[in-house]
Amino acid sequence: MAVPTANAKRRFEMEYPINASPNLLFPYLASASGLSRWFCDDVRLDPDQRFNMVWDKQNHYAEIALQRPGRSIRYVFLDEEKQPLLDANYLDFTLEYSKITDSLFLRVTDYSDHDSAQEQLELWNSLMEKLREQVGA
């Protein structure tokens, strides 16, 4: 049986119902100004088109690895020199519509080295509440 190391990465995935249209919601997931309203302290788009996401006055650089406008976006995090990393942390936001329930869901996939699954769940639950407040959902 493998024992996880202190820096072992985990994949967190959760779906959150959001009472908003994809056209309204997607800019909050895919733009610097939208992300800075709910996701982190500040977000700046550098001239090289990389995102600088700031938490607690610390820079975290990311680039868009995949985007389907109005549907999904993946951010892959970079090192301090804005260079790619092996086994890099990433963050996916995917909007999914259920015809059965007539509801929109935001699926969050967070691949990172969080120490506690419970803390990660609490963090995302809190972030989703902030996002819902922003979009009026």
Side-chain angles (χ1 to χ4, degrees):
M1 182 163 110
V3 176
T5 63
N7 292 333
K9 300 211 178 176
R10 79 175 77 237
R11 186 170 187 247
F12 170 87
E13 190 167 300
M14 188 69 136
E15 287 186 353
Y16 294 92
I18 303 279
N19 187 21
S21 75
N23 291 340
L24 174 70
L25 185 57
F26 197 73
Y28 285 90
L29 309 174
S31 70
S33 62
L35 288 166
S36 67
R37 298 176 92 184
W38 69 277
F39 183 62
C40 43
D41 299 334
D42 191 20
V43 182
R44 293 179 222 115
L45 189 60
D46 291 348
D48 55 9
Q49 298 302 302
R50 291 191 175 105
F51 287 77
N52 178 6
M53 300 179 186
V54 180
W55 288 278
D56 298 324
K57 299 182 182 177
Q58 293 183 0
N59 297 321
H60 300 273
Y61 298 102
E63 61 187 3
I64 296 173
L66 177 67
Q67 181 173 353
R68 293 176 18 201
R71 174 133 163 82
S72 65
I73 190 161
R74 174 179 280 193
Y75 296 98
V76 175
F77 288 85
L78 308 167
D79 70 12
E80 295 81 21
E81 284 80 43
K82 302 180 193 177
Q83 298 301 309
L85 295 162
L86 291 175
D87 194 29
N89 292 356
Y90 67 83
L91 182 59
D92 276 343
F93 296 124
T94 304
L95 297 177
E96 296 180 350
Y97 180 75
S98 169
K99 290 181 182 179
I100 295 170
T101 62
D102 193 33
S103 302
L104 183 69
F105 292 88
L106 173 58
R107 183 169 27 115
V108 173
T109 305
D110 179 356
Y111 179 73
S112 60
D113 52 2
H114 279 272
D115 292 332
S116 163
Q118 183 61 36
E119 286 179 13
Q120 197 170 17
L121 176 62
E122 290 171 6
L123 169 69
W124 279 108
N125 287 345
S126 172
L127 287 170
M128 286 302 109
E129 285 306 311
K130 287 174 74 173
L131 177 59
R132 285 183 184 112
E133 288 174 15
Q134 287 297 314
V135 298

